[in-house]
Amino acid sequence: RLGRRAEEMSLKAYVVGGFVRDLLLGKENQDLDIVIEGDALSFIKSWEADGCRVAVHERYRTGTIVFPGGRKIDVATARREFYEYPVALPKVVGDSLKHDLYRRDFTVNSMAISINGTSWGTLIDYFGGRRDLQKRQLRVLHNLSFVEDPTRVLRGLRLKHRLGFEFEDNTVRLIKSAIKGGLLALLSGTRVKNELKLIFLEERAYPIVLEMVHLGIFEALFPGIKIDRNCLRVIRRLSFFLRRIHYDLPDMGDKVWLAFLAAVLFSSAEWVQEATIDKLHLSKPDREAVERALNDLGTAENAVGGRVIRSHEEIYFFLEDVPYVTALFWAAATEQWRVRRRILLFLTRLHRIHPILMGRDLIELGYPKGALIGKILDELLRARLRGEVETREDEIRWIKK
Ligand code: CTP
């Protein structure tokens, strides 16, 4: 449909980037990116009449179309490096697409597929992307790629490990000189944060972090940082938990990355920890979760550790107000197996426990609205944690008693 619409409007449309790469690799990818030769804005707006929600960015001539089923598609106007006159002379067909593709990071991401009428399905590969896919290598399109955008070093590492590719020799050389030349230090904290988050959220984050350490990327980003075997051990454990008990853990969404950040900072001096957190512009709650993780590991070990038996109640009420990611970090960072086991018990089971009866049930049972109800529910929760009640009837009996 997208192609037919473009055809009707005499525009040329292409699917580009990660979607094409993954299609050729036989991998699923839900992110459809379309590039239009001509003006994407009128194309995007035309979908409003079909019941789609659309949003456009006038200045960049880009936008998104959200189809009624919820599927979202990004549409951009093929961009040229240099200034384009508003009434440019008609260009050679394909010229602006080629420029658009040339601005991209790696050859495997620089391919397009036409979705117009007769040329539907034609692969456009100006820079040898398909050959590099076959060779399973990541290669930049030109030597200034990392100068243009140093986040590509981090993107490259993420992609390399996700796809199981290698960097081509010249690309490795350019990465090393980008790091040595201090290009990563020029990036804004927000951009670094976004890339780190994506790396830590990868299924196999540990090998990426390991390679980042070997390349000296963390030192380049955060001067003075100290990443030692302890940090790496914590990161390995975090990855292990997320792989093995992911479905039993509370849903932390993308906040999980904060536990990895704390792990990376685990062995550094306090001023480095603070400077890093400052640089990344964390939100207040995120910042507090990381600081608490780093500062209160000892407190947590004292509260739930030791050879004495700790009741479920005790564990629950110590961890109840702790952000899940902070608790997850402690479980990975402690060297005391009892502490680890008890925190994981909370994260996999105890945190889910709550009374069956709810406030309005108690009102129906004749209790007055107000603080008393909160108190009863709290006591019921404690009784449940002690294993004294199981069913709803147990709870009612317990209250009457
Ligand atoms: N791109 C780039 N330089 C960047 C970021 C993105 O050249 N710093 C290009 C890449 O060629 C990429 C395209 O923009 O294919 C779209 O970016 P994005 O959606 O972030 O990447 P995907 O390749 O779809 O990767 P992922 O699967 O990780 O989302």
Side-chain angles (χ1 to χ4, degrees), residues 188-190 192 218 221-225 261 265 268-282 287 290-291 294:
S188 75
T190 310
V192 174
F218 287 105
L221 288 170
F222 312 113
I225 199 168
L261 178 63
L265 294 173
S268 292
E270 200 174 326
W271 70 268
V272 176
Q273 297 177 340
E274 287 305 314
T276 303
I277 293 172
D278 283 341
K279 175 171 175 175
L280 294 177
H281 299 297
L282 300 190
R287 178 181 190 111
V290 175
E291 285 174 345
L294 292 168

Side-chain angles (χ1 to χ4, degrees), residues 17-19 21-22 29 31 33 103-106 109-110 149 151-152 155 158-159 162 191:
F19 185 91
R21 172 198 75 215
D22 287 343
N29 186 326
D31 298 332
D33 286 307
R103 291 170 34 246
R104 291 167 187 262
D105 50 4
F106 301 102
N109 286 337
S110 73
D149 183 356
T151 62
R152 287 173 174 171
R155 283 177 57 82
R158 182 161 56 88
L159 206 56
R162 174 167 349 131
R191 294 198 74 202

Side-chain angles (χ1 to χ4, degrees), residues 47-262:
W47 289 91
E48 261 181 324
D50 302 71
C52 300
R53 279 189 296 129
V54 307
V56 295
H57 206 303
E58 298 277 346
R59 176 141 171 248
Y60 296 108
R61 291 148 83 203
T62 62
T64 49
I65 308 171
V66 184
F67 285 86
R71 173 120 206 217
K72 201 178 114 195
I73 290 171
D74 288 318
V75 186
T77 305
R79 267 202 271 174
R80 300 186 61 138
E81 222 92 340
F82 40 85
Y83 186 70
E84 261 185 290
Y85 292 96
V87 237
L89 291 170
K91 279 181 248 82
V92 190
V93 181
D95 180 46
S96 63
L97 176 72
K98 186 167 180 179
H99 275 86
D100 185 286
L101 296 173
Y102 188 63
R103 291 170 34 246
R104 291 167 187 262
D105 50 4
F106 301 102
T107 58
V108 297
N109 286 337
S110 73
M111 292 178 282
I113 293 176
S114 165
I115 54 170
N116 272 79
T118 48
S119 60
W120 195 93
T122 309
L123 179 72
I124 294 142
D125 177 14
Y126 292 115
F127 312 108
R130 188 141 64 149
R131 185 199 57 204
D132 288 334
L133 269 186
Q134 262 148 17
K135 291 169 92 171
R136 305 187 75 74
Q137 68 178 11
L138 293 176
R139 182 164 64 89
V140 284
L141 279 82
H142 53 80
N143 285 353
L144 290 178
S145 190
F146 298 119
V147 178
E148 256 171 40
D149 183 356
T151 62
R152 287 173 174 171
V153 172
L154 300 172
R155 283 177 57 82
L157 284 166
R158 182 161 56 88
L159 206 56
K160 172 188 164 198
H161 286 272
R162 174 167 349 131
L163 301 176
F165 280 26
E166 292 298 332
F167 288 120
E168 158 269 351
D169 291 345
N170 183 46
T171 301
V172 175
R173 199 176 55 75
L174 294 169
I175 286 176
K176 289 184 175 159
S177 69
I179 297 166
K180 245 176 129 182
L183 292 181
L184 292 173
L186 302 176
L187 289 170
S188 75
T190 310
R191 294 198 74 202
V192 174
K193 172 170 69 182
N194 293 339
E195 293 301 331
L196 281 184
K197 204 167 169 177
L198 290 171
I199 286 173
F200 293 148
L201 293 173
E202 279 288 316
E203 208 164 313
R204 289 167 36 87
Y206 181 72
I208 310 182
V209 173
L210 210 56
E211 186 165 7
M212 286 170 72
V213 172
H214 286 146
L215 287 167
I217 288 180
F218 287 105
E219 278 87 355
L221 288 170
F222 312 113
I225 199 168
K226 181 179 163 205
I227 302 196
D228 58 11
R229 283 167 51 202
N230 294 330
C231 300
L232 293 174
R233 192 179 314 131
V234 180
I235 293 170
R236 215 170 41 220
R237 283 200 194 116
L238 285 170
S239 288
F240 179 80
F241 295 160
L242 292 169
R243 241 192 351 264
R244 297 299 290 273
I245 52 171
H246 180 78
Y247 292 104
D248 293 323
L249 292 172
D251 182 12
M252 293 175 245
D254 61 8
K255 297 274 181 207
V256 162
W257 86 279
L258 296 167
F260 285 89
L261 178 63

